[in-house]
Amino acid sequence: MTRAAPAKAKPARKRDAERSKRAILQAALVEFSEQGYAGARIDTIAERSGISKPMIYSYFGDKDDLYAAALREAYVQIREGERDLHLDDLAPEEAIRALVSFTLSHFRSKPWFISMLNTENLRGGTTVRRISDVTAIQSRLLEQLREVLERGAREKVFRSGIDPVDFYITIASICYFPISNAHTLQVVFKCPMDEAWMEQRRRDAEEIAIRFLRPGPEDGDA
């Protein structure tokens, strides 16, 4: 009798490894964002993720390497969320509003994103320079944004000549401040920080971005 070939376990092991890595990275994002680089502990990341310390070291290396992987993951996750907006399928103004709304929502729902960037800037950007594909990770968004801006200019709903990098920095800046400074804004200016207040920030941010893009008489497009 011919024996059946044993089932191949490699795909299952690969899936398990990928799940473990994702769990480690998510735990690392929370730990590094809450405790900073110096205060973060691999023991805590192991406890949060349910993955042993030796396995964490096996997958990512030392603390520096894990921090670099977590920082890269922060960029990957926001870019993946932007990709799901399908900006290419939206009218130019609708696409910009969707991008602004997503950016504010991502900053708010993923507080570790801003904290990770703040930590890295306090460290002088030393680790982000080590991430070899950090520019490539951003490229898809910038290509999409460039196409949206150019399409809007062709349809004469946007001014021409808007640099996508400069414009994205403007969007990120508008969305960043209410989230990164929530505690001080609440104390100093008595901002309620409730859903209605945040919804108004979203509407304002969208309108600021759109009005910046609209052509005026000096552009010859009005």
Side-chain angles (χ1 to χ4, degrees):
M1 180 181 294
T2 303
R3 287 189 175 183
K8 294 182 179 179
K10 188 177 292 185
R13 287 200 298 270
K14 185 176 180 180
R15 287 194 297 271
D16 289 343
E18 290 303 313
R19 281 196 294 267
S20 296
K21 288 177 182 178
R22 286 197 298 271
I24 293 165
L25 287 174
Q26 195 59 46
L29 282 168
V30 174
E31 177 68 4
F32 283 117
S33 67
E34 290 182 352
Q35 306 300 328
Y37 176 83
R41 296 289 179 265
I42 301 298
D43 285 324
T44 306
I45 294 170
E47 183 178 350
R48 286 179 184 272
S49 64
I51 310 297
S52 68
K53 283 176 65 176
M55 191 63 72
I56 291 174
Y57 290 132
S58 174
Y59 284 139
F60 293 102
D62 62 14
K63 182 178 178 179
D64 283 347
D65 293 328
L66 179 56
Y67 170 75
L71 182 61
R72 181 185 182 278
E73 179 69 8
Y75 284 110
V76 167
Q77 288 192 18
I78 192 171
R79 299 290 89 92
E80 287 178 344
E82 291 158 348
R83 181 191 61 199
D84 292 341
L85 297 175
H86 301 291
L87 300 179
D88 297 338
D89 299 331
L90 302 176
E93 182 171 322
E94 187 182 358
I96 296 303
R97 290 185 182 277
L99 179 59
V100 172
S101 179
F102 167 80
T103 302
L104 184 63
S105 295
H106 188 85
F107 288 177
R108 189 182 183 201
S109 63
K110 308 288 192 299
W112 44 258
F113 180 80
I114 285 178
S115 296
M116 287 293 291
L117 267 59
N118 287 345
T119 294
E120 181 59 13
N121 278 287
L122 287 171
R123 287 165 51 81
T126 55
T127 298
V128 74
R129 293 185 178 92
R130 293 172 43 201
I131 304 175
S132 60
D133 62 344
V134 68
T135 300
I137 292 169
Q138 323 306 321
S139 62
R140 176 58 180 155
L141 168 67
L142 297 178
E143 289 169 7
Q144 284 188 306
L145 187 52
R146 184 186 302 279
E147 196 281 330
V148 168
L149 294 172
E150 290 177 351
R151 189 153 44 92
R154 289 195 301 271
E155 296 175 12
K156 299 190 182 302
V157 294
F158 295 162
R159 294 184 289 120
S160 60
I162 304 296
D163 182 88
V165 174
D166 292 343
F167 183 61
Y168 180 72
I169 290 172
T170 298
I171 291 174
S173 300
I174 295 168
C175 296
Y176 170 91
F177 193 85
I179 308 302
S180 66
N181 295 278
H183 299 297
T184 51
L185 289 172
Q186 197 167 19
V187 173
V188 176
F189 294 114
K190 311 303 179 187
C191 299
M193 296 298 162
D194 56 14
E195 290 299 325
W197 190 87
M198 291 305 304
E199 175 62 17
Q200 187 61 54
R201 302 288 70 72
R202 182 191 64 76
R203 291 196 297 267
D204 288 350
E206 289 183 19
E207 198 63 25
I208 289 168
I210 293 299
R211 292 193 185 197
F212 174 79
L213 293 174
R214 282 177 181 157
E218 67 278 10
D219 299 298
D221 295 326

